[in-house]
Amino acid sequence: MADQIMHQEASQSSLITTDTQTQAQLISAERLQFIQDGLKSSNSQIKIDSMKQMHDMLLAILNEKSAQQESHSALLLSIVQLSLDKLKDVYCALNSVQIISDLINLGASSNQMLFTKELVNQILKSCSSPNFHVPAYNYKTRNAVFRIYQTYILNKQILLDQVEPTLYISAVLSGIEEEKDPRNLIITYDLIYFILRNNASNPERQDQIKLIEPFLDDLFDKISCYFPINFEPPKDDKFKISPELLKEKLNRCFTASPLLAKQAFPFILDKLSAVQVETKLECYQLLQKMVEVTQPFKYVEKHLPVALHQTINEYFNNYEDTLQKISADTIGIIIKRINEQADKGISLSYVQKELEEVIEKCQNEISESPESISAFLAQELLSRFLDQQIIQPLTSGEINHNHKQLAFIQIIINILTKIADNKLRKPCEEYLQSVSNKIQLILDQSLTKILDQPVLFEKGMKLLSILSKFSNFHEILKISDSQAMIIDGQPVINKFDQYMLSLRDLLFDQREVVNQQTEQIIIEQLQKLSETQQNNVNSVFLSKLKEFFVSQGMAAFNETYVNSLIKQVLRGFEAIEFTFQIVNILIDSKKILSIKDTVIESLTQSIINFKPSNDSEKISFEILAEVSIKKILSQIFETQSFKELPSQVIIFLKTLMQQINESKSSEIFNQIIQQQVSEYSLNILYLITKKKSINLSNIEANTLRQFFQNGYSQPNQTLFSKIVFLILLRSGAKIDPNLKIIVDEALSSEFTSFDLKIQICAAFIVRGDQQGYNLIKSLVTDPKNSQNLIDLYQYSIVKNYSHLTKENGFHVFKLYPQRLFNTLYPILMKLSQQQETRQCGIQLMMQTCSIVNLSQLQDKLPELIPIAEEALLLESNSDIKITALQLFKKIIIDNQEQGMKYVDSFIPFIIESLNHDQSLQLKIESLHTLTELSQFPKNIIAKFKESVSKQSSKLLDDKKRIVRKFARNCINEWQSIGLI
């Protein structure tokens, strides 16, 4: 029997290796069956020969025309299945993957119908299954598998698009594990590069980040293990694989996705500590590329300071010529990348520190040992980035209006801006002084171009402004006696004074050459200059401004630059005295109530800008403000013109009020309440009580009572009530007896508005006074108050008063929210259970819950949740619904089992509330709640998946970006339900 089997095998082997078969014999089901029988043999050589024969059959089919290939589709499928089955057979593995590789490579374009989704996925899974561990096989087998992975990329539409990206990535990562053969590494690097470019090139796409994030560590490990490349090709290498090619393909993997930056930068910087020069050179070449191409900037932002610091140290501590040059180039590339962001609106809080580090390091090296190698390197580095590359090109000839020169000036501005905000500026100051002639030349040529080159003029003004922040500013701009200019009969030996006088003449005497845009540029930069050079700016412009007012009078305000100088530029006590001189002239001439809004606005801002430098200036300033306030009020009371008072005058008066002390405030308060009450007088009183404590003991009881009685008839009861509220809170630990009597009278009077009663009640509650809690209980239980109470309760009783503190002069009981809740809870619970008061009780309960920490409601949640559910169905304001949503979220987070009872009614309501008409807070709260609900058991919430996604998608075009963000996140979470 054994002999018979051996004979059959030999006969079969003979048949298989016959070379004279016809095409028809080669491509047939019978032939495939014959081959299949050979594959069942226990003889390894017969199996190998059978696989080769099957490979020949495949190639014969693929060499036919497309129509003929389609007639052999069944044979092709059988060949594929046989090959996939034989992958786990070590004798057949090589031929199997070669057959599959040739099939998808040659057949994908000519026989697309063959490659169904099922087959494409099966091939990929089989080529990465545990039964076929690719790294364990020889080079040819691995190479064939890698070519299969590669073919999926090349035939993306037919093959790759039919598989899940995660399946393809996992297959490739398992296949290329521990690959070392350079012939395969060429393909390996291409595969990793494609995966990163195709799935992680755009970090703004959340879907890409979510997909690739689980693989990032593995992908980085796969490329970092090969760096740096250490490969020398053998002599007469027929594959022609060079180290340069391997380095190029590996390096582009590091820059394929910005998501790798957080691992790649620390890795490369760590490698820089290697001793070998070749390794350092490779690191710098890759680091330069990463710094240049990684986008967006935020992915490299935090790594640049570290890279700059390390490269500077390398520059000064390694004297190898090639390393010297490449480290200097790298410093330049890093600084260039930092400066490029200045015009893109990116905040670079660390830039000034890092640029200073370069300059400080250079200056220290030079000063410590002027003739050392380090000093030489420092001078070289300084000249490299400032002198040679920026300042020298600017000063080598006349500066013209071209983009390169403007960019150079902007670079200087950017660098100095960063350094100027740093406390340690000495190295930079010394350097600037050493090139002061060149700096002056740049300024001279820029500031004279106001007519024909306004952009260059603006750059010059900005450069002058930023230079003024350095302590040796005047030394930088100092000139010799021979260069001095005679202006107003005096020699001016400082460029800054010359520039100021020129700007003054432009504004006051050469109006024909200054347009609105140029005027705005001058004013903006003068404002910045006055912050550091206040005395110089004032001495030039204030005297001229005074002369101008003497000659022009109030008509001087017709010039916009006059308003701007007063409003934005002139500072200090001399300037504020001048402002009050103008104010008093306006008051005495009775023009203060009719002056233009722009004038009042300028005077107001001037007062706001003033910061006294000592106690004497502060006292004098308060006296000036008090005198002006009393004059204005006297004129208002005299003419009874409160009703016609312009809004800007009110703002001006409020500004003055903020400058006086509390004793003066009390005097003015007493003076105002004795006058006829009007909306404007209430505005001033509101400002006083809001900002200042009032000494009521100096106010007669009848005066205070009359004020209350007059206030009852005011149309603006809300403002009057707020004033009473603030007065009560400012009355110290014990309310003034006269005030207490008057307030009690107001509460019992039939003429007192409900608004005032609520505000009095709120004041007592916030103070922790039991009278307030008794009063709110009576107001809540009185049915006739229900409608008014709902409207006013939220804006008075449960309003957020956290800004009213004892430190600011308000008497506040910190635990009043919890006390209010405990007081009203049983009452509101009872109201919410009675049919006639149900709606009022529910709304008041939700409003009361809104001021209490939800954690303090833990024991009340079972009772509150049904009320919250009903609150969601009411046509009430959004704040009540937000409180209800927060209660639901609280119980969902702490007790999911309890929360599931309300899911069926809760989710549909939220879905209905997702529309553009809702408030911003309600939309955000609703989307956030739905996002958290997506984590509920799938069998409970799956039925809402479609409706949540559909309704949430309506907010993807909301005008608020934060709403669009929450909507997208909500949709993503709900769409993932059922996918895992």
Side-chain angles (χ1 to χ4, degrees):
M1 185 68 177
D3 290 340
Q4 183 180 359
I5 294 172
M6 289 179 64
H7 174 75
Q8 287 176 349
E9 290 177 346
S11 173
Q12 202 169 48
S13 176
S14 174
L15 286 169
I16 291 172
T17 56
T18 300
D19 294 327
T20 58
Q21 299 157 347
T22 63
Q23 185 77 352
Q25 290 174 321
L26 190 61
I27 305 174
S28 67
E30 293 78 10
R31 185 62 179 163
L32 184 60
Q33 181 60 50
F34 189 70
I35 293 170
Q36 192 172 357
D37 292 340
L39 292 173
K40 296 176 182 178
S41 172
S42 59
N43 186 309
S44 60
Q45 187 59 47
I46 291 177
K47 289 195 287 186
I48 292 171
D49 291 340
S50 297
M51 290 299 298
K52 289 180 179 179
Q53 189 67 20
M54 187 162 66
H55 197 174
D56 292 338
M57 179 183 289
L58 172 72
L59 294 175
I61 296 173
L62 295 178
N63 284 330
E64 292 183 334
K65 295 180 179 179
S66 296
Q68 291 174 306
Q69 284 187 33
E70 291 179 6
S71 66
H72 297 304
S73 294
L75 280 176
L76 288 173
L77 283 173
S78 298
I79 291 171
V80 173
Q81 292 300 330
L82 282 171
S83 300
L84 292 175
D85 291 341
K86 286 298 177 181
L87 278 175
K88 53 191 173 185
D89 189 326
V90 293
Y91 298 108
C92 301
L94 173 59
N95 288 288
S96 293
V97 292
Q98 287 177 336
I99 288 171
I100 296 168
S101 178
D102 286 342
L103 173 65
I104 64 174
N105 187 36
L106 300 173
S109 57
S110 59
N111 196 353
Q112 297 182 13
M113 298 298 293
L114 177 69
F115 294 94
T116 62
K117 184 175 183 178
E118 181 181 0
L119 178 62
V120 171
N121 278 269
Q122 185 184 3
I123 291 172
L124 196 59
K125 289 177 181 178
S126 299
C127 290
S128 58
S129 71
N131 294 328
F132 179 57
H133 186 53
V134 178
Y137 286 84
N138 60 22
Y139 153 71
K140 287 187 177 180
T141 305
R142 300 197 311 274
N143 184 268
V145 175
F146 294 172
R147 283 191 285 108
I148 291 172
Y149 298 154
Q150 199 173 42
T151 305
Y152 269 70
I153 298 171
L154 298 174
N155 294 278
K156 184 175 181 294
Q157 187 174 1
I158 300 169
L159 301 176
L160 191 60
D161 288 349
Q162 296 199 72
V163 300
E164 285 291 327
T166 52
L167 173 61
Y168 180 78
I169 297 171
S170 299
V172 172
L173 290 175
S174 65
I176 64 176
E177 186 75 35
E178 298 180 2
E179 184 57 57
K180 296 178 181 178
D181 194 302
R183 296 168 292 179
N184 281 343
L185 286 176
I186 293 292
I187 304 176
T188 297
Y189 299 155
D190 284 342
L191 292 172
I192 293 175
Y193 177 76
F194 169 79
I195 288 172
L196 289 168
R197 291 302 297 169
N198 198 51
N199 300 288
S201 60
N202 184 0
E204 304 303 320
R205 286 183 53 183
Q206 292 300 315
D207 57 331
Q208 281 198 357
I209 293 178
K210 192 172 183 179
L211 183 149
I212 201 68
E213 242 177 357
F215 301 101
L216 282 176
D217 289 342
D218 204 359
L219 284 165
F220 182 74
D221 290 343
K222 291 293 187 293
I223 58 175
S224 61
C225 66
Y226 297 113
F227 187 89
I229 296 290
N230 185 16
F231 167 66
E232 289 186 13
K235 293 181 179 180
D236 303 322
D237 179 20
K238 64 179 180 179
F239 296 102
K240 304 299 181 185
I241 297 176
S242 66
E244 291 72 26
L245 179 61
L246 285 170
K247 290 177 183 178
E248 178 190 346
K249 287 186 175 289
L250 177 61
N251 286 359
R252 73 172 188 162
C253 291
F254 279 93
T255 59
S257 169
L259 297 178
L260 286 182
K262 65 179 180 181
Q263 296 158 300
F265 273 92
F267 172 79
I268 294 300
L269 294 176
D270 181 62
K271 285 287 185 182
L272 277 172
S273 61
V275 176
Q276 299 84 354
V277 172
E278 293 77 12
T279 300
K280 288 179 181 290
L281 290 174
E282 280 197 47
C283 288
Y284 275 125
Q285 289 167 2
L286 179 54
L287 179 62
Q288 288 179 4
K289 195 68 176 174
M290 289 161 55
V291 170
E292 287 177 328
V293 305
T294 304
Q295 296 289 355
F297 181 73
K298 64 181 180 181
Y299 287 93
V300 300
E301 184 173 359
K302 69 178 182 179
H303 302 294
L304 294 185
V306 182
L308 184 60
H309 176 79
Q310 196 162 333
T311 308
I312 291 171
N313 287 339
E314 186 70 40
Y315 177 82
F316 283 105
N317 296 317
N318 197 310
Y319 301 141
E320 204 280 328
D321 289 344
T322 312
L323 273 177
Q324 281 281 306
K325 184 178 185 306
I326 198 169
S327 57
D329 289 340
T330 305
I331 293 172
I333 288 170
I334 294 172
I335 292 178
K336 179 183 176 185
R337 184 70 198 275
I338 291 172
N339 279 309
E340 283 175 350
Q341 307 311 308
D343 295 329
K344 298 180 181 178
I346 295 177
S347 175
L348 303 173
S349 59
Y350 63 84
V351 169
Q352 64 271 23
K353 176 180 177 298
E354 306 313 326
L355 293 174
E356 166 118 24
E357 183 179 348
V358 178
I359 297 174
E360 185 176 12
K361 178 72 175 174
C362 293
Q363 292 283 4
N364 288 343
E365 295 288 347
I366 294 170
S367 60
E368 287 175 8
S369 182
E371 297 182 2
S372 66
I373 295 176
S374 294
F376 171 80
L377 295 175
Q379 293 172 20
E380 180 69 21
L381 197 59
L382 270 178
S383 64
R384 187 183 190 93
F385 299 118
L386 291 174
D387 243 359
Q388 291 182 358
Q389 295 188 19
I390 299 173
I391 294 178
Q392 187 62 38
L394 279 173
T395 56
S396 58
E398 185 177 355
I399 300 177
N400 296 311
H401 188 279
N402 66 63
H403 293 296
K404 187 175 182 180
Q405 290 179 322
L406 291 176
F408 279 165
I409 297 177
Q410 188 62 52
I411 289 172
I412 298 174
I413 294 169
N414 292 346
I415 292 175
L416 297 182
T417 299
K418 312 312 175 190
I419 297 174
D421 294 333
N422 206 348
K423 292 181 180 179
L424 300 173
R425 300 183 301 223
K426 188 175 180 181
C428 183
E429 290 173 345
E430 291 176 355
Y431 176 74
L432 289 172
Q433 195 163 341
S434 70
V435 293
S436 60
N437 290 337
K438 295 178 180 179
I439 295 291
Q440 290 178 26
L441 181 59
I442 294 171
L443 289 170
D444 286 344
Q445 296 196 44
S446 301
L447 296 177
T448 57
K449 306 291 185 179
I450 185 171
L451 292 179
D452 51 342
Q453 297 180 27
V455 177
L456 183 58
F457 173 78
E458 181 180 6
K459 298 289 185 188
M461 285 295 298
K462 288 182 177 179
L463 179 57
L464 181 65
S465 177
I466 196 62
L467 283 169
S468 71
K469 292 188 177 184
F470 292 91
S471 62
N472 62 338
F473 173 59
H474 289 283
E475 283 73 24
I476 295 171
L477 296 184
K478 189 175 182 179
I479 54 178
S480 63
D481 293 341
S482 60
Q483 295 174 296
M485 297 174 61
I486 304 300
I487 300 178
D488 295 339
Q490 297 293 326
V492 179
I493 59 171
N494 190 285
K495 282 285 186 180
F496 178 65
D497 292 332
Q498 291 183 9
Y499 297 145
M500 289 300 97
L501 290 166
S502 298
L503 293 173
R504 184 197 70 181
D505 292 343
L506 280 172
L507 286 178
F508 285 92
D509 303 325
Q510 301 176 38
R511 294 301 303 162
E512 67 279 0
V513 302
V514 180
N515 57 31
Q516 184 177 357
Q517 181 182 1
T518 307
E519 179 184 304
Q520 185 177 354
I521 293 169
I522 294 173
I523 293 297
E524 285 178 0
Q525 299 311 314
L526 282 176
Q527 181 179 2
K528 294 177 181 179
L529 286 164
S530 67
E531 293 173 3
T532 56
Q533 308 296 320
Q534 176 183 302
N535 292 337
N536 296 72
V537 174
N538 280 355
S539 65
V540 172
F541 284 92
L542 190 56
S543 58
K544 185 69 174 181
L545 195 60
K546 289 178 179 179
E547 292 176 11
F548 194 62
F549 267 94
V550 170
S551 64
Q552 300 293 321
M554 290 302 121
F557 280 116
N558 294 332
E559 300 291 349
T560 56
Y561 64 87
V562 170
N563 286 287
S564 299
L565 286 171
I566 294 172
K567 179 180 178 181
Q568 299 170 245
V569 177
L570 298 176
R571 300 170 186 268
F573 189 72
E574 187 180 0
I576 205 66
E577 276 189 316
F578 177 63
T579 297
F580 277 109
Q581 286 175 18
I582 297 173
V583 170
N584 290 327
I585 290 172
L586 290 170
I587 295 172
D588 295 340
S589 62
K590 300 188 182 301
K591 293 180 179 179
I592 190 68
L593 304 182
S594 59
I595 198 71
K596 290 181 180 178
D597 285 351
T598 53
V599 177
I600 287 293
E601 185 182 343
S602 299
L603 298 171
T604 303
Q605 193 59 50
S606 175
I607 293 169
I608 293 172
N609 290 340
F610 176 69
K611 300 293 184 292
S613 58
N614 52 55
D615 290 341
S616 175
E617 285 189 358
K618 182 179 179 181
I619 294 170
S620 299
F621 178 57
E622 288 180 354
I623 292 172
L624 289 171
E626 182 190 356
V627 170
S628 295
I629 290 170
K630 289 183 175 179
K631 279 187 175 184
I632 294 173
L633 291 177
S634 175
Q635 190 172 128
I636 291 171
F637 296 142
E638 179 184 329
T639 59
Q640 296 185 345
S641 57
F642 255 127
K643 291 185 178 180
E644 293 78 27
L645 204 59
S647 59
Q648 287 295 339
V649 175
I650 288 292
I651 295 172
F652 178 67
L653 204 50
K654 288 180 178 180
T655 304
L656 290 175
M657 291 295 304
Q658 291 174 325
Q659 316 308 320
I660 60 177
N661 59 38
E662 292 179 356
S663 64
K664 299 298 180 183
S665 296
S666 297
E667 287 181 23
I668 295 172
F669 182 89
N670 193 6
Q671 181 183 357
I672 294 175
I673 65 172
Q674 294 181 46
Q675 306 298 321
Q676 181 180 355
V677 178
S678 69
E679 184 170 348
Y680 291 109
S681 63
L682 289 178
N683 268 296
I684 299 172
L685 291 173
Y686 178 65
L687 172 72
I688 295 174
T689 52
K690 189 176 180 181
K691 298 292 183 182
K692 307 287 182 181
S693 293
I694 305 301
N695 185 356
L696 296 176
S697 61
N698 295 331
I699 301 176
E700 293 183 2
N702 288 336
T703 301
L704 197 59
R705 181 176 287 103
Q706 187 62 45
F707 168 69
F708 268 76
Q709 291 174 352
N710 290 339
Y712 298 160
S713 59
Q714 278 300 300
N716 193 341
Q717 280 294 300
T718 301
L719 185 57
F720 176 73
S721 301
K722 286 180 179 178
I723 294 170
V724 174
F725 172 83
L726 291 170
I727 290 174
L728 287 170
L729 285 186
R730 284 202 177 275
S731 296
K734 187 176 181 180
I735 296 177
D736 182 83
N738 290 333
L739 178 61
K740 184 72 168 62
I741 294 170
I742 294 169
V743 167
D744 289 340
E745 291 174 357
L747 289 173
S748 60
S749 172
E750 60 179 319
F751 300 107
T752 304
S753 67
F754 191 70
D755 194 335
L756 180 56
K757 287 184 179 180
I758 282 287
Q759 288 289 357
I760 294 173
C761 178
F764 282 136
I765 289 172
V766 174
R767 289 177 59 88
D769 193 315
Q770 185 59 43
Q771 184 178 353
Y773 297 95
N774 294 336
L775 180 57
I776 193 62
K777 285 195 290 187
S778 65
L779 291 174
V780 167
T781 53
D782 190 343
K784 66 181 181 182
N785 294 330
S786 59
Q787 188 55 50
N788 288 335
L789 188 61
I790 291 172
D791 296 335
L792 295 175
Y793 189 81
Q794 181 177 0
Y795 301 106
S796 54
I797 305 297
V798 296
K799 185 179 178 180
N800 183 1
Y801 293 120
S802 59
H803 60 289
L804 304 180
T805 62
K806 289 185 178 181
E807 292 74 18
N808 292 329
F810 296 97
H811 188 79
V812 176
F813 176 57
K814 289 185 177 180
L815 299 180
Y816 82 85
Q818 189 63 42
R819 182 176 177 183
L820 176 65
F821 177 81
N822 293 336
T823 300
L824 292 183
Y825 180 77
I827 299 172
L828 298 179
M829 182 61 70
K830 184 177 180 181
L831 290 175
S832 65
Q833 293 170 349
Q834 297 174 356
Q835 187 61 37
E836 62 275 10
T837 58
R838 188 174 188 79
Q839 184 169 342
C840 177
I842 290 172
Q843 294 189 62
L844 293 178
M845 180 68 84
M846 289 298 98
Q847 289 174 339
T848 308
C849 287
S850 68
I851 63 168
V852 183
N853 192 317
L854 291 180
S855 62
Q856 297 173 325
L857 303 178
Q858 191 65 41
D859 60 331
K860 302 286 195 303
L861 284 176
E863 297 173 342
L864 287 172
I865 288 297
I867 297 175
E869 188 177 25
E870 291 194 46
L872 293 172
L873 302 175
L874 296 175
E875 292 188 5
S876 53
N877 64 52
S878 60
D879 290 332
I880 290 174
K881 294 180 181 180
I882 289 172
T883 301
L885 284 174
Q886 290 170 342
L887 284 171
F888 268 108
K889 280 204 301 181
K890 177 65 180 172
I891 197 170
I892 286 167
I893 293 170
D894 291 351
N895 191 341
Q896 194 176 95
E897 182 179 351
Q898 178 74 14
M900 282 194 289
K901 297 178 183 179
Y902 305 99
V903 166
D904 285 348
S905 57
F906 181 44
I907 293 182
F909 165 77
I910 305 181
I911 293 172
E912 288 298 319
S913 71
L914 293 179
N915 59 69
H916 293 291
D917 297 331
Q918 299 292 350
S919 70
L920 174 65
Q921 290 79 8
L922 181 57
K923 284 185 281 191
I924 291 174
E925 194 67 39
S926 298
L927 289 165
H928 189 232
T929 305
L930 283 173
T931 303
E932 292 195 4
L933 282 169
S934 68
Q935 307 306 313
F936 257 55
K938 304 300 182 283
N939 61 319
I940 301 293
I941 63 170
K943 57 187 174 182
F944 299 110
K945 176 179 177 180
E946 183 178 350
S947 53
V948 169
S949 300
K950 181 179 179 181
Q951 199 69 13
S952 298
S953 64
K954 294 181 179 179
L955 297 180
L956 290 176
D957 62 347
D958 193 272
K959 61 183 180 179
K960 293 292 185 181
R961 186 182 66 83
I962 190 170
V963 174
R964 300 195 298 270
K965 177 182 176 182
F966 273 92
R968 172 50 60 196
N969 189 43
C970 178
I971 292 169
N972 289 344
E973 293 298 325
W974 278 82
Q975 286 295 328
S976 66
I977 294 174
L979 295 180
I980 301 175

